[in-house]
Structure formats: structure tokens, C-alpha cells
Amino acid sequence: MATAGLAIRRFGAVNGLGLATLVKREASRGLSDYNYQLLGPAVTALLYLAVFRLALHNDETGQLLIDFIAPGIIIYSACEKAYEAAAGSFIFDKHERIMGDILMAPLTPLERLIGYVSANCMGGIAVGAAVAVTSLLFADLGAAHPWAIITFGFLGMILHSLVGLLVGVWAEKWDQFAAIQSFLLLPLSFLSGMFYPIEALPSAFQAVMELNPLYHAIAGFRYGMNGTEAGDPMVHVLVVAGVNLVLGAWAYSWFRSGYKLKP
């Protein structure tokens, strides 16, 4: 018989092939149009730094501020990409009515969560690298603490990826995706000390800043690049990691129940 050689495929504790396929699918679609996905954020970062350079002229204080700002722009660009890739993937698949096909894949909710987050972080790394190379035209970038660069880079991208997954599952329209980005993530990023040290703020506002997980991610990443320390780096790690655990459990519960995914 023609089907004599066919057999049921067995999976171990982890469906490695399925997980790798999901990561490859999401990573490739997230960076399919490199002209927009990579050059867009790089040009935007270049414009930010160019404006500050022109406004501050070429004195030593201006260069110090550019060096302070550049790490924040790098991690912000990488995290923004992670959010856009995560949310955009789900909204597109729901609009194209292919979410049912995705759910039929033999993957557990945890494998799906890991696959999506991993692919989104890969896109964020590519964008962050492009922005970092562009930033070298104006800023003196370093690696004072490589462990902090890696740790806070991934923690920040995971945070935005998880938010993107939750938004992608919940949202029915692209307007909702844009609203979360414009009215939540963008203000939290710009008010996180990305362009200024929080010591310049009144004490009451500094206390509020401590509640912003994006502040901790950006401060930790900046500490890794140029050694500028704002608070205890381990506190930054615990805050961002704690928020990620909560968001990860939330996303896992939605994947497991099929909330707004199953027809």
C-alpha cells in the first residue's frame, strides 16, 4: 500500500521541530521588508541624534548628553520592533482568518509562547544592531558592563514582546494596536529617562519613575553601555523580570484557554 511507510510522528517533552519552525516563520515575516524594518528605525535614530547635536553644538557637555541618550534610543528601537512584530503577527493572522491553521500545529501553549517571544527578540536584536551602528556617527558607544547590555536588552525586548502578544490576541482592529503604542508604550518610554537623568526631576516624580518598568530597562541598558549608574542594577533586573513573569503568565493563560483565538 502507498501508505505503508507512513507512521505517526512522536514528540518528546519538547516539539523541537515545531518550535523551530514557528520561530523561523515569525522571524522571517518580521524582517521580510528590510528597507522598512531596519533602515526606518536607523534613520529615525540618526535624526534624533542629529537634532540634539545641532541644538547642543559641539561642546563637551553636548557630547556627554549625546552619549547618554544613544543607549536609550538603541534599546527603545529594539523594544519597539519586538512589540510591533508580536502584535502585528496576531492581528494579521486573525484578519486573514488563518489563526485556526496556526492553532492546529502540535505545539503546547508554553512552546507557542517561547516561539513567538524568541522570534520577536530576534527582530529586536536586528533593529537594535542597525540603530547602534548608525548611532556611532554621533555617539561614543562602549561596553562597560557586557552582562548588563545582554540582560537588559533581552528583558526589555521580552517585556515589549509579551505586551505585543497580549495586544495582538485582544485587539480586533489595527487602531487598537496603534492606540496601545501611542498612548501607553510611547509615553512610558519617553518618560522613562531616555533623554534625561531622573535626578533632574523633583523627588516626587522620581518616585513615580520607579514604578515604570521601562525606566528600569533603559537605565540598566545604559549602565551596561557607558557605566552610568542610576540606582542599583540588580533592582532594575528584579523589577523588569518580575513584570515579565506576570505578563508571561497572563499570555500563557490566554494561549492555553484560546481566548479570542479559537473560533
Side-chain angles (χ1 to χ4, degrees), residues 2-96:
T3 60
L6 297 180
I8 298 175
R9 176 175 290 173
R10 303 294 183 182
F11 301 105
V14 177
N15 181 358
L17 177 60
L19 181 58
T21 302
L22 176 61
V23 172
K24 181 179 178 180
R25 173 185 185 268
E26 293 300 315
S28 61
R29 76 190 298 188
L31 294 173
S32 58
D33 186 359
Y34 69 91
N35 291 321
Y36 165 72
Q37 302 291 350
L38 296 181
L39 295 182
V43 171
T44 300
L46 185 63
L47 291 174
Y48 272 128
L49 296 176
V51 167
F52 278 101
R53 166 57 67 200
L54 293 173
L56 298 171
H57 305 293
N58 292 317
D59 57 15
E60 183 178 354
T61 302
Q63 184 61 51
L64 290 175
L65 184 57
I66 292 292
D67 295 342
F68 178 87
I69 292 171
I73 294 178
I74 293 171
I75 188 174
Y76 166 74
S77 301
C79 292
E80 184 181 40
K81 171 59 183 174
Y83 168 78
E84 291 177 351
S89 175
F90 271 86
I91 298 175
F92 179 85
D93 287 347
K94 288 196 292 186
H95 283 191
E96 295 297 316

Side-chain angles (χ1 to χ4, degrees), residues 130-206:
V131 173
V133 171
T134 304
S135 300
L136 289 172
L137 295 174
F138 291 98
D140 295 326
L141 301 178
H145 305 283
W147 72 266
I149 296 176
I150 297 172
T151 300
F152 288 102
F154 274 105
L155 286 176
M157 288 186 292
I158 291 171
L159 172 65
H160 283 74
S161 176
L162 291 171
V163 173
L165 291 178
L166 293 170
V167 171
V169 172
W170 161 77
E172 301 292 341
K173 301 181 295 183
W174 289 104
D175 291 346
Q176 295 170 310
F177 155 80
I180 296 296
Q181 186 174 29
S182 299
F183 300 116
L184 178 63
L185 295 180
L186 189 62
L188 287 178
S189 297
F190 276 60
L191 298 176
S192 63
M194 182 165 65
F195 296 110
Y196 52 85
I198 66 167
E199 290 79 10
L201 297 173
S203 57
F205 286 96
Q206 293 183 34

